[in-house]
Amino acid sequence: MKIRGVILLLILALSLFQYLGSEKYPWPIGEESALPAAGENLRLTVADTITPAGGMFTLWNSTMGTVPVGEGYTIEIWYREGWHTIRPKREPDWPLTLWEPGPGEHSFPVDWTALYGELPRGRYRLVKPCFQKPLYLFCQFEIG
């Protein structure tokens, strides 16, 4: 009888611990990300204010040529000491256009509400693929 009580108490304590330690997000969090970065010659930064619905970003190209970049992007969240993918609400249907910014700075808006909804408080990064090599541009930002 005492063993059953101890086991039941342990199960309840574990359930409470898991409930209190879990963050609530409006989408599933995927695997930890291990994408290769594009390097110092290509950078992605926040150009203006970030809101839960989107923001303005700047691609800095300090190479001597153009850089093929698609329209697509993903958002990752800092979760339990690592970057993790966020699964969008729907499958994106990115246009098949290729953007090839030359040297200099190039700003562009991103509205992620159609794919992710408004982002809750947290630490995120925008991930944009660079098609010159299988590399990625990253820009970290926070929603407070």
Side-chain angles (χ1 to χ4, degrees):
M1 196 67 173
K2 287 184 180 181
I3 293 176
R4 283 186 191 173
V6 170
I7 291 173
L8 182 60
L9 185 59
L10 285 173
I11 291 171
L12 288 173
L14 182 60
S15 298
L16 180 62
F17 177 75
Q18 286 179 338
Y19 175 76
L20 292 176
S22 66
E23 293 89 353
K24 301 295 181 199
Y25 294 105
W27 13 250
I29 294 177
E31 299 297 318
E32 189 165 358
S33 175
L35 299 173
E40 291 299 314
N41 291 332
L42 297 170
R43 293 181 298 130
L44 199 55
T45 61
V46 173
D48 204 357
T49 306
I50 296 289
T51 71
M56 185 69 88
F57 294 86
T58 299
L59 185 148
W60 298 84
N61 179 1
S62 59
T63 69
M64 298 304 283
T66 61
V67 179
V69 179
E71 293 288 324
Y73 66 86
T74 57
I75 294 180
E76 295 180 346
I77 186 168
W78 184 258
Y79 181 73
R80 296 187 179 165
E81 304 304 318
W83 291 108
H84 291 262
T85 58
I86 298 174
R87 295 190 187 109
K89 296 188 298 186
R90 65 172 179 79
E91 194 63 36
D93 53 349
W94 301 114
L96 296 176
T97 56
L98 193 62
W99 177 40
E100 295 188 277
E105 63 180 87
H106 308 274
S107 294
F108 59 95
V110 175
D111 178 348
W112 47 69
T113 54
L115 291 178
Y116 300 99
E118 289 198 357
L119 299 179
R121 179 184 304 238
R123 185 172 161 199
Y124 300 92
R125 72 178 180 178
L126 181 77
V127 180
K128 199 147 183 63
C130 174
F131 295 110
Q132 199 166 29
K133 297 178 180 178
L135 299 174
Y136 297 83
L137 300 166
F138 303 104
C139 180
Q140 295 183 28
F141 60 93
E142 290 194 27
I143 303 292

